[in-house]
Each structure stands twice: as C-alpha cells, then as structure tokens.
Amino acid sequence: MNILALDTCFGACSAAVSGHGRVLSSAFELRQTGHAEALLPMVEHVMACADLSFAHLDRIVVTAGPGSFTGMRIGIAAARALSLVTGALVIGVPTLAAMAETALRNPEVSGRLLVAVDARKDQIYVQMFDDAQSSEATAAVMSPQVVAGLMTQVPLGVEVFIVGSGAQIVADHLSAARSNV
C-alpha cells in the first residue's frame, strides 16, 4: 500500500511517502507561514524521490488538528484535491495522536505521555496518552498553569514524559517536587 502523509497544522510543513510498510521519502521544513506555497512542491519532491507516480497512491493521510486553522485548512484542502485527482482515500489523523505515536516508539518512554504543543497566546494544546498508545482524554487547549495543575493529579509513582513545542513551557510551571515528569 502506498501512502502520502501531509502535515501543516503547526509551525512546520511536512510530507512523506511510504510503501510496503517503510518510508520511501520525506521532507520537513520549519515555517510559521507560507504552508500553502510550500506544500505542493514538497509533495512533488517526495513523490519524485520515492519514484512513485500519483496514480499509484492508495491513501492520503493528513493531520486534522488541533492546530492552526489556516494550516489545517491548507493540508486538508491539498489532501482532498489530490484525492480527487488520484482516487486515493483520504484519512484524517488527530495531530497530537500522530505525535504520540512517534514518541511512544522510543523505548525510554513508558508510563504516561503528555503531548503539549504551544498554541501561542499563553495557551497549550494538550492530550494525555498511556503507554498502550490509547488516549486518556480528548485534545484540549488550556493555559500552562492549568496543565501543570492537572499534572499534580498523576500519582507520584507514575512517570510522565512530555513532548512537543509546549513541553518546556509546561515543565517551567511544574513544581520541583514533581520529579516523575
């Protein structure tokens, strides 16, 4: 199965192509703006590097939020347009769940995982996952102080790993006594 994956939800733009269960080509670029101008040339590049024609795509996976409204709209619109041309099925993936999937592949990450992404304006997108990759809650947006307060409800014997661009912001609001984070 050949899959094209797109992400434009946060401060980066990325595209990847996988086939037969392995990544064939990928591209990633940090950017706060200009996702619309960067995405399709990036897609063309990864498809060429993978030596795969658009006609051979089976699925197009796109991050579907949370994230910036404009970024989500760009990624979903591009996925939809490519689907109309190729006939490939579009699958939306929650952004924080995609980040958790990657983080939980690290053997050092066990216990619980908090994905925290800076939403700007003193807000953080957060979602908690357990080590079985299942979500313990839906994604939410809240202040770092509230997130830190919720972290105090995690029993001290349970390790919590925080990943994402908001990880340091949350950590800065945690008390020094929370050595399990």
Side-chain angles (χ1 to χ4, degrees), residues 97 100-106 109-114 128-136 158-159 161:
E101 171 76 24
T102 301
L104 289 167
R105 288 184 188 164
N106 183 334
V109 176
S110 62
R112 294 190 184 160
L113 174 72
L114 179 72
M128 182 77 80
F129 296 85
D130 66 21
D131 59 5
Q133 299 179 356
S134 63
S135 175
E136 294 186 2
V158 176
E159 283 190 312
F161 291 82

Side-chain angles (χ1 to χ4, degrees), residues 109-124:
V109 176
S110 62
R112 294 190 184 160
L113 174 72
L114 179 72
V115 178
V117 177
D118 187 354
R120 296 184 248 177
K121 298 184 181 179
D122 198 35
Q123 297 289 301
I124 306 285

Side-chain angles (χ1 to χ4, degrees), residues 66-155:
S68 83
F69 177 73
T70 301
M72 287 187 304
R73 201 173 61 196
I74 290 164
I76 292 169
R80 176 71 176 131
L82 290 168
S83 171
L84 289 172
V85 171
T86 65
L89 178 67
V90 174
I91 300 171
V93 175
T95 311
L96 303 182
M99 294 175 73
E101 171 76 24
T102 301
L104 289 167
R105 288 184 188 164
N106 183 334
E108 293 180 23
V109 176
S110 62
R112 294 190 184 160
L113 174 72
L114 179 72
V115 178
V117 177
D118 187 354
R120 296 184 248 177
K121 298 184 181 179
D122 198 35
Q123 297 289 301
I124 306 285
Y125 295 115
V126 294
Q127 190 168 5
M128 182 77 80
F129 296 85
D130 66 21
D131 59 5
Q133 299 179 356
S134 63
S135 175
E136 294 186 2
T138 58
V141 62
M142 55 188 70
S143 73
Q145 297 84 354
V146 171
V147 177
L150 292 173
M151 297 299 293
T152 63
Q153 297 174 11
V154 176

